Amino acid sequence: MRCAVALALCGAVMGLGPAWGQGEVAGRYQMERSGDDLLRLDTRTGQLDLCRRDGARMVCTTAAPGAAAAPEAPAGDLAAEVARLKAQNVALTARLARVAAAVQGFEPDTGLLDDAGGISATARREIDEAVDVTDYAVRRFRDLFRTFSDERDGGR
């Protein structure tokens, strides 16, 4: 009977697996399946590990080197990316300052609208003049096209 109780207790302890003795680490790791492997995220440090089955055991290796590095000391390619983003930030901040300075003195052209918010008489005249010029240009191009077409057809 003692042997059966001992076997049941061992089975219960073995069945708990990673949950056994977690205490302070409960919820610290987040696991996601990636094909036959597992990705393990340490939610406290941000380290990402790739875990693969090796026979009867799981072997985990760091999947993203430098992911857990402190922001003050990025590693390798991450440092170059941080430097590039800092330079881009400086350039964009300067450009924004130039645009803000240019817009600050800008006054919209209020001569296009009348007091009721409609198109003013001056704006209507300018639109009519633009339409007349366009109409003239279209007629001239049409006449030139006809002239060249007649010359081409008559020359055969």
Side-chain angles (χ1 to χ4, degrees):
M1 177 87 166
R2 285 186 190 174
C3 192
V5 172
L7 281 174
L9 184 58
C10 283
V13 169
M14 297 301 280
L16 288 176
W20 179 66
Q22 274 187 341
E24 72 170 88
V25 293
R28 177 176 173 178
Y29 296 98
Q30 185 176 356
M31 305 286 278
E32 288 291 326
R33 183 169 297 280
S34 175
D36 292 335
D37 305 327
L38 288 174
L39 290 173
R40 178 179 68 182
L41 173 67
D42 185 336
T43 58
R44 186 182 309 157
T45 65
Q47 181 173 337
L48 183 65
D49 296 326
L50 178 64
C51 300
R52 295 187 168 162
R53 185 171 300 280
D54 183 20
R57 62 188 184 115
M58 293 293 283
V59 176
C60 297
T61 55
T62 302
E72 297 80 28
D77 293 338
L78 191 55
E81 180 69 4
V82 168
R84 185 189 69 77
L85 290 172
K86 282 182 179 179
Q88 184 180 24
N89 186 19
V90 168
L92 289 173
T93 302
R95 183 175 178 193
L96 181 61
R98 288 192 308 269
V99 168
V103 169
Q104 190 173 15
F106 177 74
E107 291 290 327
D109 184 8
T110 56
L112 297 176
L113 302 178
D114 60 15
D115 294 336
I119 297 176
S120 69
T122 304
R124 287 181 189 273
R125 253 190 321 277
E126 290 176 5
I127 291 170
D128 287 341
E129 289 173 10
V131 168
D132 289 343
V133 168
T134 305
D135 181 52
Y136 171 77
V138 168
R139 278 189 274 123
R140 287 288 294 145
F141 282 119
R142 185 183 57 219
D143 292 345
L144 284 171
F145 179 76
R146 285 183 181 157
T147 302
F148 290 133
S149 295
D150 290 345
E151 287 177 4
R152 186 187 58 164
D153 292 341
R156 285 187 184 180

